[in-house]
Amino acid sequence: MLDKNKVSLGIAPIGWTNDDMPDLGKENTFEQTVSEMALAGFKGTEVGSHYPTDPAALKKALDLRGMTVCNQWFSSFLLTRPYEETEAAFIKQCDFLKYVGSRCIGVSEQSYSIQGMLDHPILEGKYVMNDEEWDTLVKGLNRLGKIAKDKGMVMTFHHHMGTVVQTEEEIDRFMESVDPDSVFLLFDSGHCSFAGIDPEKVLRKYVDRVRHVHLKDLRTSVVEQARKEKWSFLKGVRAGTFTVPGDGDVNFAPLFDILGDAGYQGWVVVEAEQDPAKANPLEYAMKARKYIAEHTGL
């Protein structure tokens, strides 16, 4: 069981609207999205592209619903753009997040990423960094992590399909290389499973350095079809690669046990990008909330 005094439950808006494929859920407004999140029993939200960019307006809307921001995705380009460009954008987003009540920022290195390429098989041809690029990435992330720490924030890094940190070996090298005092892990059960990694193994190894958790379920039959038919990541999303916890094939029981035994403190966030025309967002949010309550006590 998870400690209600230490662990908070949030949900990402990606089940309502998709930042990478704007046609998915374009009919779902920000107000509807956060109202349904609150109705389903969630207290935190990550930030989507349709959310207000005025931090005061965003905070007011969430305060009315008894919610807060728990994290926001940040795309870094440390390998392909000047460091100063990424740092400036990072500082701006940290300041925005701190204003609206979040103390966590989730970074994903998007240099050479194939996750958004509609015609590129997600399970083939991922970019692999050389030693010099690893050094550049680690140094840049350490600097960003120190900036976040100085602002009273926590910087987490999101291992993700199609990016330079996807495989088990890449996760291990990353964790061995970065500063453990300023760069932490955003653990994602779905992306581990999609990459062919046992999520229990990764979480057990690094739970003491995890500061944010994405609870994402996976339909293995869809992944196998994606492999055979050479689908892109986004085509797989449309077809139902991911779903909410308890609706797919990920075994969450040991993950909840590991988090509980380690005394994890922070947010656990339902993040399951689906086509809202096929998977009603409120219905699936409520399904996820019920499953988590039954299996964690949250």
Side-chain angles (χ1 to χ4, degrees):
M1 304 297 276
L2 299 181
D3 188 340
K4 290 182 179 180
N5 296 315
K6 296 180 178 179
V7 182
S8 301
L9 181 60
I11 191 167
I14 203 164
W16 281 263
T17 57
N18 194 294
D19 293 355
D20 295 320
M21 295 179 285
D23 63 300
L24 293 186
K26 62 184 178 182
E27 70 281 3
N28 294 323
T29 65
F30 160 71
E31 290 81 4
Q32 177 183 343
T33 297
V34 292
S35 293
E36 292 187 352
M37 288 175 172
L39 181 61
F42 292 90
K43 297 298 183 183
T45 176
E46 297 195 344
V47 178
S49 60
H50 63 309
Y51 280 36
T53 55
D54 176 358
L58 176 56
K59 188 175 187 304
K60 180 180 179 180
L62 294 178
D63 285 347
L64 285 171
R65 295 164 174 84
M67 297 182 68
T68 188
V69 171
C70 58
N71 177 51
Q72 184 177 8
W73 171 288
F74 177 81
S75 295
S76 63
F77 294 90
L78 294 166
L79 302 181
T80 53
R81 297 180 187 176
Y83 168 80
E84 291 73 20
E85 182 179 323
T86 294
E87 181 185 277
F90 182 80
I91 290 172
K92 182 179 180 180
Q93 189 161 316
C94 278
D95 291 342
F96 174 88
L97 287 170
K98 193 167 184 179
Y99 183 95
V100 296
S102 176
R103 292 297 178 267
C104 180
I105 182 169
V107 175
S108 174
E109 177 61 26
Q110 288 296 292
S111 298
Y112 309 116
S113 173
I114 62 172
Q115 72 187 66
M117 297 181 180
L118 291 172
D119 58 351
H120 196 299
I122 188 60
L123 293 166
E124 296 180 11
K126 185 192 80 68
Y127 189 84
V128 177
M129 291 184 287
N130 59 37
D131 289 343
E132 183 179 353
E133 288 168 325
W134 267 108
D135 187 57
T136 298
L137 178 65
V138 168
K139 286 181 177 177
L141 290 172
N142 284 345
R143 291 175 69 179
L144 295 179
K146 178 65 163 53
I147 291 170
K149 185 177 181 180
D150 289 345
K151 289 178 173 289
M153 303 277 293
V154 172
M155 190 191 87
T156 62
F157 187 84
H158 192 346
H159 60 94
H160 197 287
M161 289 299 297
T163 71
V164 292
V165 182
Q166 168 187 301
T167 68
E168 185 173 0
E169 293 76 19
E170 288 165 342
I171 293 172
D172 285 341
R173 181 166 179 175
F174 170 81
M175 295 301 288
E176 291 165 2
S177 302
V178 295
D179 180 357
D181 293 324
S182 59
V183 181
F184 301 92
L185 184 66
L186 188 162
F187 171 79
D188 190 304
S189 56
H191 282 280
C192 275
S193 301
F194 200 158
I197 309 167
D198 179 358
E200 180 182 351
K201 181 180 178 182
V202 172
L203 184 59
R204 191 175 300 281
K205 188 185 299 185
Y206 299 118
V207 65
D208 290 340
R209 294 173 63 188
V210 169
R211 294 295 182 273
H212 200 67
V213 174
H214 278 171
L215 301 177
K216 187 198 297 279
D217 212 335
L218 184 83
R219 297 183 176 100
T220 53
S221 60
V222 181
V223 172
E224 284 308 306
Q225 189 173 1
R227 187 187 306 278
K228 291 176 183 176
E229 300 183 18
K230 301 182 183 299
W231 288 354
S232 68
F233 179 74
L234 298 182
K235 183 173 181 178
V237 168
R238 287 182 181 273
T241 298
F242 299 119
T243 185
V244 298
D247 191 53
D249 299 308
V250 173
N251 182 11
F252 284 93
L255 305 183
F256 294 146
D257 287 343
I258 293 168
L259 292 169
D261 291 345
Y264 172 76
Q265 299 185 52
W267 288 91
V268 294
V269 178
V270 173
E271 194 217 29
E273 50 265 57
Q274 299 190 81
D275 181 347
K278 299 177 181 177
N280 179 274
L282 177 58
E283 177 185 349
Y284 275 76
M286 294 176 72
K287 182 183 295 189
R289 184 67 188 91
K290 183 174 184 290
Y291 176 84
I292 293 167
E294 292 173 348
H295 292 82
T296 69
L298 290 180

